[in-house]
Amino acid sequence: MPGKTLYDKVWDAHIVNQQEDGTVLLYIDRHLVHEVTSPQAFEGLQIAGRKPWRTGSMLAVADHNVPTQGRDQGIADPVSRLQVETLDANCATFGVTEFRMNDLRQGIVHVIGPEQGATLPGMTVVCGDSHTSTHGAFGALAFGIGTSEVEHVMATQTILQKKAKNMLVSVDGQVGPGVTAKDIVLAVIGRIGTAGGNGCTIEFGGDAIRALSMEGRMTVCNMSIEAGARAGMIGVDQTTVDYLKERPFAPRGEMFAQAEAAWLDLKSDADAHFDEVVHIDAASIEPQVTWGTSPEMVTGVGGAVPDPVSLEQAKVEGARRALEYMDLEPATPMKDIKLDRVFIGSCTNSRIEDLRAAAAVIGDRRVADSVKQAMVVPGSGLVKLQAEEEGLDKIFINAGFEWRDPGCSMCLAMNADRLEAGERCASTSNRNFEGRQGQGGRTHLVSPAMAAAAALAGHFVDVRTF
Amino acid sequence: MRAFTRLQGIAVPLMRSNIDTDAIIPKQFLKSIKRSGFGKNLFDDWRYLDTGEPGQDVSERQPDPEFVLNQGRYRGAEVLLAGENFGCGSSREHAVWALDDYGIRAVIAPDFADIFHNNSFKSGLLPIRLEKTIVEQLAKECETSEGYQLSIDLEAQTVTTPGGEVFAFEVDAFRKDCLLNGLDDIELTLQQRTRIKDYESRRRESAPWLFSVPQLEPDAGEQ
C-alpha cells in the first residue's frame, strides 16, 4: 500500500462518517467569518432556531466593505455600513469572537487568521471566501465555501464533501534574485491554466517552495484557487513551527511541544501517490505580469502581449475578447504598458514581507507623475504597526504612495477604493477579471516589488535591472 | 430547499469559457444581507450599458441589446448553456442566487468550478456536465431554432433535445437524492449528532490544541 499525501492525512483525520457514494462528513476545526458571506447564514440559523455548534472555532472580522481611510468617521456608504453592523450584531448575539473595525487586530481575514495563530497545521479551515486556500501554507486543509455551507458549518461543525484528487506541483531548484512567491504562482497558473487544478487539491513542493517564508507560502497557496484547485497545501517544516510560536491562538508551553511533534509529521510520505504531477524549473521563472482577464493570461516581464491566433484553438476567442477589454495590441512589449494606478495590498500580498519588498525597491525614488494614484493597503492593523515601526510608511509616503488602513480595498472594490472605467492598474491582488477592480477597469497582476517599480517608472519594468 | 425533478424550458447560449462569479453578479450587489433580489443584476456588466448600483430602478436602465439575455427570443429562459470552467473565481453563493432569482433552473457546461458546483446544489440549481462538443451542438441548435427548449429529467439523469436526442449526465447519488426531495442537509447532518460528538471527544484527547480558546481582551489594542 502506497504512503499518504499530506492531503490524504489531513482528510483522513477529519472523517466523521463516509457514505456509500463516497460523500464524507468532514469535521471543521476553524471557521473564519466575514461580513459579505455570513449575514444570510446567521439569518438561517436564527430562522431555524439553531445555535452555532462551537463558537470557539469561529473568528470573525469585517474586511471587504471597510474604508481604508477616515475610519473615525465610520462607513459613509449606508449599504456597506449595514453589512458591517450586521456582522457586529450577529457576533454579539451568538457570542462569536470578532475584531471590530477599529481594533488594532482587524484586517483581511486571510491575513489575521495566521497572524493570530488561529490557523494551525493539520486543521481543516473554512471561510465563505475562495481565498481560504491561503491557510494551506500551514499544512492545513483550507478551502472556500458558499453561504449555505457557512450555515451548515455553523450549525453542525462539519461539511459534506467528496475527496478531490491529489496533484503535486513541484517547483524545482531555486528562483533567481528579484523573483518572488507571486511570480512562482503566476507562472504555475500560466502553465497549468485557470482550470488546471479543477477537481484537485494541489500540494506545492520542491526546493523553491521549501525556501519560501510563511508569507511567501501563503501567497502561493492563496492563488491555488486561481488554478481552479479546491485547496493548496504545503508540508510542515521548521519554518512553519517557528512562525507559530507565541501567536495568541496557538498552543503554549507543553501543549506547543506536543503539537509540534504531531505537526512535523504533516508532509507527504516519500512513496505517496499523486494523481497528477507537474514539475517547474524555478530558475526559468522571471517576474510575471498578466496581460488579460484571467490569471492564466500571463507572461514574463521581458515578454509581449501574445497574438491570440498563436494560442491553442480553445483559447483564441477568450484571448481576443480579453485584449479588446484590456485595450492592448498583440506584440506590445509588457514594458511599454503604461499605468494609471498602482495597488499594493490584498490577501495575496499585504503582509510585512510584501511591504518590505516594495519599500526596498522604492528607496528614495518617487512615483512617476503620470501615475494618478499609488496606494499601499496593509493586510492588518498589526502589519501596519510593524511597518511603521520599521519606517516603511515613511518610504511609501515620501515616494508619493498613500498609506491606508487595512482591508480588501481595491482588490475587489467593494469599498470606495476602485478603478474608473478605462483605467489601467498594476495590482498585487489575485484576479484580473473584467470589472474586478471597478467596472471597465483594467488589471495587471504582479508582485509587490514589480508593482513598486512600475509605480516609479509609470510603466512595467524588470525589477531585477531597475 | 426547493426540489428539482423535471424541467422543460427555453435554453439560452452564453458560450464563453471561464465565466467568473464576478461577471455573474458584480461585487457591488454583494452588500445585500438578503438571499433574494439578485436576478435583476445577473450578468450586470454585460447586460446593461450603464453602471449598475444597488437599489436602482431597473426600468430606467439601458439594456445592451447585443447581450443574449436581452433578446426577446430567450425571454423566460430556464436553462443556461455555457463554456468551460463556469463559475470560477469568488465563492459568492450570490452567483447561484442571482441565476435562480432570474429564473435559471439548470446550467449545462463542459465543467464547473468547484465551489460554484457545490453552491448550486444547496440552492436547487442543477449544474449539468456534458461533453464540450455536445454543449456546443446544443448551443448551435439553440441559436438556429427560436423557442428551442431542453427537457431535463434528474431522476433519469438525461437531457433531451426537441429533436428527441437524449444525452445522459452524471450526478452524485447523495446530491441527487437531496435535490429530488428538496432535503435540508443541515437537518440530515444533525441526525448524526452523536457521531459528531464522538469524533470531537476523540480529537480532544489526541489533539487538544485544536480546541483551546485563547483568553483575548475584548478591547485589546483599540486604534
Side-chain angles (χ1 to χ4, degrees), chain A residues 13 17 21 27 40 50 53 77 83 102 104 146-148 152 162 230 321 412 414 434-436 439, chain B residues 16 22 27 30-31 34 45-46 51 85 89-90 93 114 119 172 174 187 189 192 199-200 221 223:
Chain A
N17 186 41
D21 79 340
Y27 190 81
Q40 299 87 351
R50 294 177 179 131
W53 182 280
D77 175 357
Q83 199 164 54
N102 289 319
L104 184 60
T147 298
S148 293
H152 192 279
K162 274 193 165 178
R230 178 175 300 165
R321 200 183 144 77
L412 88 166
M414 265 187 87
E434 288 183 24
R436 172 78 179 181
Q439 193 180 21
Chain B
R16 299 176 191 175
D22 276 80
K27 84 280 289 182
L30 310 190
K31 295 178 184 183
K34 299 289 171 205
D45 284 1
W46 294 344
T51 305
N85 200 27
S90 151
E93 195 164 318
D114 195 44
N119 288 344
D172 288 347
F174 175 70
E187 200 49 55
T189 299
Q192 303 193 56
Y199 172 89
E200 268 183 343
Q223 278 178 345

Side-chain angles (χ1 to χ4, degrees), chain A residues 207-277:
Chain A
D207 289 342
I209 299 293
R210 293 259 74 85
L212 292 173
S213 65
M214 287 315 297
E215 286 84 355
R217 293 178 190 185
M218 284 188 253
T219 300
V220 170
C221 288
N222 172 277
M223 289 193 71
S224 14
I225 183 72
E226 261 47 77
R230 178 175 300 165
M233 299 178 87
I234 293 174
V236 175
D237 59 14
Q238 201 55 43
T239 306
T240 325
V241 173
D242 290 345
Y243 178 96
L244 290 166
K245 282 177 187 149
E246 308 298 319
R247 304 262 166 193
F249 282 66
R252 302 293 173 106
E254 203 171 307
M255 202 190 273
F256 190 92
Q258 189 192 350
E260 179 178 354
W263 293 342
L264 287 169
D265 187 44
L266 290 168
K267 57 187 74 162
S268 290
D269 296 330
D271 59 344
H273 172 75
F274 287 91
D275 302 287
E276 288 177 56
V277 178

Side-chain angles (χ1 to χ4, degrees), chain A residues 67-71 341 373-378 380 384 388 401-407 409-410 415-417:
Chain A
T68 57
Q69 57 188 356
R71 283 203 182 162
R341 297 193 200 229
Q373 182 187 39
M375 62 196 289
V376 183
V377 183
S380 73
K384 187 177 186 192
E388 288 173 352
F401 280 85
E402 295 173 25
W403 180 243
R404 298 291 191 96
D405 289 325
S409 179
M410 210 198 277
N415 70 353
D417 310 335

Side-chain angles (χ1 to χ4, degrees), chain A residues 385-438:
Chain A
L385 182 66
Q386 171 79 26
E388 288 173 352
E389 282 172 3
E390 295 180 18
L392 305 183
D393 57 323
K394 303 259 178 346
I395 294 173
F396 289 121
I397 293 166
N398 290 341
F401 280 85
E402 295 173 25
W403 180 243
R404 298 291 191 96
D405 289 325
C408 301
S409 179
M410 210 198 277
C411 172
L412 88 166
M414 265 187 87
N415 70 353
D417 310 335
R418 66 187 65 174
L419 299 181
E420 298 298 325
E423 285 183 339
R424 191 180 295 284
C425 181
S427 177
T428 66
S429 54
N430 40 56
R431 291 193 174 129
N432 49 354
F433 298 162
E434 288 183 24
R436 172 78 179 181
Q437 294 192 288

Side-chain angles (χ1 to χ4, degrees), chain B residues 9 20 23 40 44 58 60 69 98 113 145 195 216:
Chain B
D20 58 74
K40 61 182 185 290
D44 200 277
V58 179
E60 292 181 4
L69 290 185
S145 156
R195 278 199 177 115
L216 299 173

Side-chain angles (χ1 to χ4, degrees), chain A residues 192-365:
Chain A
I192 70 174
T194 192
N198 274 12
C200 298
T201 288
I202 298 179
E203 178 175 339
F204 294 94
D207 289 342
I209 299 293
R210 293 259 74 85
L212 292 173
S213 65
M214 287 315 297
E215 286 84 355
R217 293 178 190 185
M218 284 188 253
T219 300
V220 170
C221 288
N222 172 277
M223 289 193 71
S224 14
I225 183 72
E226 261 47 77
R230 178 175 300 165
M233 299 178 87
I234 293 174
V236 175
D237 59 14
Q238 201 55 43
T239 306
T240 325
V241 173
D242 290 345
Y243 178 96
L244 290 166
K245 282 177 187 149
E246 308 298 319
R247 304 262 166 193
F249 282 66
R252 302 293 173 106
E254 203 171 307
M255 202 190 273
F256 190 92
Q258 189 192 350
E260 179 178 354
W263 293 342
L264 287 169
D265 187 44
L266 290 168
K267 57 187 74 162
S268 290
D269 296 330
D271 59 344
H273 172 75
F274 287 91
D275 302 287
E276 288 177 56
V277 178
V278 176
H279 284 277
I280 291 185
D281 172 21
S284 70
I285 300 174
E286 58 173 326
Q288 303 284 301
V289 184
T290 63
W291 50 264
T293 54
S294 164
E296 70 179 19
M297 297 173 173
V298 65
T299 185
V301 65
V305 176
D307 188 333
V309 297
S310 71
L311 303 174
E312 57 179 292
Q313 187 56 36
K315 301 204 185 265
V316 173
E317 197 45 48
R320 271 208 192 102
R321 200 183 144 77
L323 291 193
E324 190 181 323
Y325 181 85
M326 295 295 288
D327 192 27
L328 289 172
E329 292 296 326
T332 307
M334 297 311 290
K335 290 178 192 166
D336 286 359
I337 297 175
K338 295 187 175 59
L339 299 154
D340 301 301
R341 297 193 200 229
V342 174
F343 171 64
I344 298 177
S346 87
C347 58
T348 311
N349 282 129
S350 63
R351 298 177 181 84
I352 189 68
E353 185 180 274
D354 301 316
L355 306 191
R356 285 178 190 145
V361 169
I362 294 167
D364 56 4
R365 292 183 277 192

